[in-house]
Amino acid sequence: MNWQSITFDWNQARAFLVTAEEGSLSAAARALGLTQPTLSRQVAALEEALGVTLFERVAKSLILTDAGIELAEHVRAMGDAASRVSLAASGQSQQVEGLVTISTTDLMAAYVLPDILRDLRGKAPGVEIKTLCTNSLSDLRRREADIAIRHVEPDHPDLYARKIRNAPARIFAARSLLEITGKPLTRKDAASMDFIGFDNNQELVGYLRLFGLEVSEANIRLSCPNGVVAWEYVRQGLGLCIMADEIAARCPDVMPAFEDVEPIHFPIWLVTHRELHTSRRIRTVFDHLAEGLLKAAPAGARRY
C-alpha cells in the first residue's frame, strides 16, 4: 500500500459522508454533535485536499456531484470498517468467522482432529475449517495453509511455533496377526516379519532401526503414501508399522507388536504465520488446537 497517497483526514471524510447521508449540513452537524460552520469547513477542506467538488449547492440544498457519488461509496465502506474497529476495541464484537486451513497428516486428520474440531464448532460456529492432508511441509509463508501440525520445529523467523508435547510411538500389529504367531514377539523376530510402508521405505527402515530392529527394505512388501490406507492394511493383518500411541489407542483391533521394544518419542509442533497476532479467527483456532492436542495425549487414552 502507498501510504503517502492517503492525503485526507478521516474526520473530514466522515463529515462528508454524514452530510451526504443526512442530506444537509445542519442535519449532519446535529448527528455529529458539531456546529454547522465547523462541519462546513471540514467538507470544504476535504474538497481542497482531493481537488474535487463533492456537492453542488442549489438554493438551500446540497446535491452530490458525480465525483461525490463515487467517493461516497468508498467512504461508506471506510465508515463500516471504522464501526467494526470500534466494536472490536470495545469488546462488543464477539463474532469469529471465516476460513482457516489446517495442514496436517491424513492420519492426524482422520483420527485425532475430529474430536477437536467438534468442540471447535460449538465454540466458534462461524469458522470454516479446511484440512489440507499432506505428509510434506506446507509453505505457510505462501499461505498454502494458515496453521500446520508438524513434527519438526520451523526455522524461519516469520513463522510462530509452539511445541505442544512429545508423543510416544511404537510398532503395532493387528491382534489377528499376532494370534497367528502363537507366541509373543521379540525384536529378534523382526527380521522375519512383514512391514507396511508409507512413502519412503529407506527412511522407514532408519526409523525401525531406532527401535533396535534388524530389518531392511526387503521386509517392506506393501506400502501406500496414503497413511490412512497404510494403517488399514496394518489393521487387516497385512503387516506391522510404526504408529503414534494416540492413534493406535483409538483402534482396539491393534496392539504393540514386540514385548521387549520400548516406544520412541517425537515432538508435536503447532505452527502458523504472523497473522496469528492480528486475526481473531486464526488465534481462536490455533489456541483451540493447542488445547485439544494436549488433551489427546495417550495418558488419557488406552494404556498398553
Side-chain angles (χ1 to χ4, degrees), residues 34-145:
L34 301 173
T35 64
Q36 185 171 327
T38 297
L39 190 70
S40 180
R41 284 194 298 271
Q42 289 183 345
V43 173
L46 181 64
E47 289 180 319
E48 182 178 354
L50 297 178
V52 296
T53 300
L54 301 174
F55 293 104
E56 293 288 351
R57 290 158 178 82
V58 180
K60 294 183 178 181
S61 300
L62 292 177
I63 306 298
L64 281 169
T65 63
D66 289 342
I69 291 173
E70 181 179 2
L71 185 63
E73 295 181 9
H74 299 300
V75 178
R76 188 173 292 110
M78 292 172 58
D80 291 340
S83 296
R84 291 194 295 271
V85 169
S86 296
L87 286 172
S90 64
Q92 297 179 47
S93 176
Q94 300 300 325
Q95 189 72 11
V96 181
E97 56 186 17
L99 175 65
V100 177
T101 301
I102 302 171
S103 172
T104 186
T105 64
D106 42 17
L107 283 160
M108 178 72 74
Y111 288 94
V112 178
L113 285 190
D115 289 339
I116 298 175
L117 297 181
R118 185 180 297 109
D119 292 340
L120 177 64
R121 181 175 295 176
K123 178 184 294 184
V127 171
E128 176 190 351
I129 297 295
K130 177 181 179 181
T131 54
L132 178 62
C133 298
T134 175
N135 291 321
S136 60
L137 297 181
S138 297
D139 192 336
L140 301 186
R141 291 178 296 140
R142 294 187 178 182
R143 294 304 194 267
E144 291 181 356

Side-chain angles (χ1 to χ4, degrees), residues 171-237:
I171 311 295
F172 287 93
R175 292 181 182 274
S176 59
L177 177 62
L178 296 178
E179 289 172 357
I180 294 175
T181 64
K183 64 179 180 66
L185 297 179
T186 66
R187 68 181 64 201
K188 294 180 179 179
D189 297 307
S192 63
M193 302 299 297
D194 291 333
F195 288 81
I196 305 297
F198 289 93
D199 191 9
N200 187 326
N201 289 347
Q202 184 177 9
E203 185 178 68
L204 175 59
V205 169
Y207 287 130
L208 291 171
R209 288 178 176 172
L210 290 178
F211 285 93
L213 304 182
E214 293 299 326
V215 297
S216 67
E217 290 187 54
N219 292 94
I220 305 173
R221 301 176 59 191
L222 178 62
S223 62
C224 179
N226 183 301
V228 174
V229 173
W231 180 235
E232 185 62 24
Y233 290 159
V234 175
R235 298 178 65 183
Q236 294 294 330

Side-chain angles (χ1 to χ4, degrees), residues 11 20 26 32 72 135 178 184 196 206 224 266 276:
N11 288 324
S26 57
L32 291 175
N135 291 321
L178 296 178
I196 305 297
C224 179
F266 62 93
L276 173 76

Side-chain angles (χ1 to χ4, degrees), residues 8 11 14 18-19 39 45 51 71 109 122 142 145 161-162 170 185 188 196 227 236 253 294 303:
F8 64 87
N11 288 324
R14 184 182 64 160
V18 177
T19 301
L39 190 70
L71 185 63
R142 294 187 178 182
R162 183 190 301 177
R170 309 173 198 245
L185 297 179
K188 294 180 179 179
I196 305 297
Q236 294 294 330
D253 49 358
L294 189 59
R303 305 295 294 182

